[in-house]
Amino acid sequence: GVENLGIEHVIVCGHYGCGGVAASMENAQFGLVDNWLRNIRDVYFREKEVLDQIQDKEKRYGRLVEFNVLTQVMNVCHTTIVQNAWAKGRSLTIHGWVYDISTGLLKDLSCCIASLDQIDDAYRT
């Protein structure tokens, strides 16, 4: 879409109440899905100190959803497709949002990455 259609906005959208996020915080195996949950487990491990201070389990899960969206926004920005578009001067913004299934509302995480200047040098290609 970025290269062929010239889209200008990519939205990374997680959702509260995500079973995958809840499962990623458990010390258990769930089968084949564990291969996809590993990335969320990495986010949990990195943010564990902050998350473990949240007493309410649902709020803790919700915060991990947000951390995961922020991480995945950066992962999208680290791709050559996105970076090449920016290098060519194309207008492209990557947004991080979370959908609340219970209310139908979207939460903007105020994460909008629109240029190589917002990417750490270690990830620039």
Side-chain angles (χ1 to χ4, degrees):
V2 171
E3 288 181 357
N4 296 321
L5 300 177
I7 63 166
E8 295 185 0
H9 297 275
V10 173
I11 298 167
V12 176
C13 188
H15 63 91
Y16 295 120
C18 177
V21 166
S24 71
M25 295 179 80
E26 303 296 325
N27 290 327
Q29 290 188 11
F30 299 96
L32 187 60
V33 73
D34 289 325
N35 296 296
W36 289 272
L37 297 179
R38 191 200 55 78
N39 293 315
I40 305 172
R41 288 181 197 265
D42 290 344
V43 175
Y44 174 55
F45 177 75
R46 191 177 65 244
E47 304 294 344
K48 189 172 180 9
E49 187 175 311
V50 171
L51 292 166
D52 286 351
Q53 292 178 14
I54 302 171
Q55 298 301 312
D56 182 274
K57 187 185 339 183
E58 293 305 313
K59 288 182 181 177
R60 188 168 53 247
Y61 290 163
R63 189 66 181 123
L64 180 53
V65 167
E66 294 170 358
F67 280 137
N68 187 53
V69 167
L70 295 171
T71 298
Q72 301 317 318
V73 164
M74 295 313 298
N75 285 340
V76 170
C77 293
H78 297 161
T79 65
T80 56
I81 294 168
V82 169
Q83 291 190 24
N84 289 343
W86 286 331
K88 293 175 185 173
R90 298 248 323 272
S91 175
L92 177 62
T93 304
I94 315 302
H95 305 270
W97 296 354
V98 178
Y99 177 65
D100 189 333
I101 294 171
S102 67
T103 65
L105 298 176
L106 286 170
K107 179 178 182 179
D108 184 345
L109 297 179
S110 299
C111 175
C112 296
I113 310 298
S115 74
L116 282 171
D117 296 337
Q118 294 174 273
I119 305 299
D120 191 281
D121 286 340
Y123 295 102
R124 292 184 191 182
T125 57

